[in-house]
Amino acid sequence: RTCLSFFNSYRRIASEQMIEKKLYLKICLLQHCCINLNISYIATVLHWQVIYNLKNICIMITKSMVIEAQTTWGKGVVQIGTLKNSPKECVVFTKQFVEQLYAFDYSTVLFKPTKCAVQQFRPSAAEAISYFIAGEQRACQEDKGFALQPWTHVRFENSDLILEDTRAIAMGNYYFTDLDGQEAKVEYTFGYTMVEGQLKIDVHHSSFPFQNS
């Protein structure tokens, strides 16, 4: 009874808020299984797992969510640059930036930044932080601190997006504006995963456009 009440409440929310048909059908299927298999104990045995899964199902990734995540990332990179002359504050902010926007604490992250040649792939948060701000404690000796340019603006130009229930992929060009107003054009692919209702980056590939010499 508790289990069915739980699913009924989520089905009502899905219907009232006009959430995608996929969500409504998933919840109906779960309820049908409970009725036919008489497994009401799922509400206690798998209580937290059910809540976690339904939370991520209910919050499906949209285009506006991806654009918001990109805007937040761009503003973060600019903010890091403004803290260039305040090392302690810069380190604290950059750690928070990586922790909040990347999925290092939750899953494998495929991070291949633009300006690196020796350690091209950065599987840890420490190596990502090193790329953005370098410093004496940098994890990768080749790093100069990409975000310390500094940049005054970051503009994303998506070629297209792939949106799924709890995953999204964005590909395109982003443009970094320096203090002289010049833009640097860089190609990107970002993969996003839904973690507790928030988009986090688990794929980040950047490279300069091909130069035909």
Side-chain angles (χ1 to χ4, degrees), residues 155-208:
R155 175 171 61 90
F156 280 78
E157 190 176 88
N158 292 309
S159 172
D160 212 341
L161 305 174
I162 296 176
L163 301 176
E164 298 179 351
D165 288 356
T166 59
R167 284 203 56 78
I169 300 173
M171 178 180 286
N173 296 310
Y174 46 3
Y175 300 83
F176 297 81
T177 305
D178 64 19
L179 292 175
D180 296 322
Q182 300 297 312
E183 282 190 332
K185 178 181 178 180
V186 183
E187 301 166 341
Y188 69 82
T189 299
F190 275 78
Y192 300 91
T193 184
M194 183 70 77
V195 178
E196 298 178 353
Q198 180 183 350
L199 286 192
K200 288 186 178 290
I201 300 164
D202 61 0
V203 176
H204 177 177
H205 182 283
S206 296
S207 58
F208 289 118

Side-chain angles (χ1 to χ4, degrees), residues 69-80 90-104 111 128-129 132 147 190 198 200-201 204:
Q70 292 175 333
T71 301
T72 300
W73 187 92
K75 289 181 177 179
V77 169
V78 171
Q79 180 64 18
I80 291 171
C90 187
V91 170
V92 170
F93 179 84
T94 306
K95 286 182 177 180
Q96 292 174 343
F97 170 81
V98 171
E99 179 181 342
Q100 291 173 8
L101 299 187
Y102 289 81
F104 287 108
F111 182 24
I129 293 169
F132 286 115
F190 275 78
Q198 180 183 350
K200 288 186 178 290
I201 300 164
H204 177 177

Side-chain angles (χ1 to χ4, degrees), residues 85-149:
N85 296 321
S86 303
K88 291 183 179 179
E89 292 181 39
C90 187
V91 170
V92 170
F93 179 84
T94 306
K95 286 182 177 180
Q96 292 174 343
F97 170 81
V98 171
E99 179 181 342
Q100 291 173 8
L101 299 187
Y102 289 81
F104 287 108
D105 291 338
Y106 301 91
S107 65
T108 298
V109 175
L110 306 179
F111 182 24
K112 189 278 173 191
T114 312
K115 293 185 175 182
C116 54
V118 179
Q119 292 176 265
Q120 301 162 272
F121 307 103
R122 309 294 178 86
S124 71
E127 290 168 315
I129 293 169
S130 176
Y131 177 72
F132 286 115
I133 60 173
E136 293 181 0
Q137 304 301 318
R138 61 186 181 274
C140 305
Q141 293 304 308
E142 66 178 311
D143 292 336
K144 305 299 182 183
F146 173 80
L148 300 181
Q149 176 72 16

